[in-house]
Amino acid sequence: GTGARRRIVLPPEVTTRLTTGERSLRVVGFTRHGAQLLFGVDDALALYDPVRDTWQVQPPPGHSVLGASSGEWTVSPDGTRLMRMQVFQARGSPSKAQVLVFDLHTVQWTVLTLGKHWHGEMTWYGNEHVLLTTDWGVSTLGLDGSREVLWPRE
């Protein structure tokens, strides 16, 4: 092809995360109003602007918790937010789950707490809610912290 190649130099905030454990760097998506690439580094997001050759690393709140494991990033229907679940366990404590939502326009995190021993599936329910399916039913969780049970399991 005729495309130009360029070597991208990763910032220290990304390389440090890649050298600990079995972490990986994945292209998660692109920003809507620009040519920025969005990379997922297991416990953070990194925005790369190829025009300016600059990085903006966004670790989620509480990212330094030991024993964290997370699912894949999913994009909201309108393409403005990314979401994934994070389950973590501090030493001597029961596991806890939370939903991490990153807003591409405000460059801010929203953390929604699911509680202890949470197991189930989640997906976007519109652009402002997460649909949670568990053994005990189906409910929605709003980005504003609201909750609604749609179908309780009896």
Side-chain angles (χ1 to χ4, degrees):
T2 59
R5 289 185 181 192
R6 168 174 33 172
R7 183 172 186 250
I8 297 174
V9 178
L10 299 174
E13 300 96 315
V14 172
T15 56
T16 301
R17 285 180 163 80
L18 291 175
T19 58
T20 57
E22 293 188 24
R23 298 179 187 225
S24 61
L25 180 68
R26 298 178 295 287
V27 175
V28 177
F30 304 89
T31 58
R32 177 180 271 194
H33 300 292
Q36 293 181 331
L37 289 163
L38 186 64
F39 290 92
V41 186
D42 289 340
D43 66 342
L45 290 173
L47 294 164
Y48 174 67
D49 184 338
V51 174
R52 294 185 183 108
D53 193 28
T54 59
W55 287 88
Q56 187 177 22
V57 179
Q58 300 292 332
H63 71 281
S64 62
V65 175
L66 295 174
S69 64
S70 303
E72 292 295 318
W73 291 102
T74 59
V75 181
S76 63
D78 67 359
T80 61
R81 293 180 181 98
L82 291 145
M83 160 186 76
R84 83 176 197 187
M85 182 186 313
Q86 179 179 28
V87 179
F88 59 91
Q89 184 171 7
R91 289 186 192 142
S93 299
S95 62
K96 296 179 183 178
Q98 60 189 14
V99 177
L100 302 174
V101 179
F102 184 73
D103 189 307
L104 293 168
H105 292 297
T106 64
V107 192
Q108 297 289 319
W109 289 96
T110 300
V111 178
L112 305 169
T113 301
L114 296 175
K116 300 176 188 176
H117 308 293
W118 191 89
H119 297 283
E121 295 181 23
M122 64 179 201
T123 188
W124 283 101
Y125 188 66
N127 296 308
E128 301 287 328
H129 292 85
V130 176
L131 184 69
L132 305 169
T133 307
T134 65
D135 290 342
W136 58 86
V138 178
S139 59
T140 62
L141 183 59
L143 297 183
D144 60 0
S146 61
R147 295 174 188 251
E148 181 182 3
V149 176
L150 302 177
W151 176 72
R153 187 160 194 162
E154 298 178 16

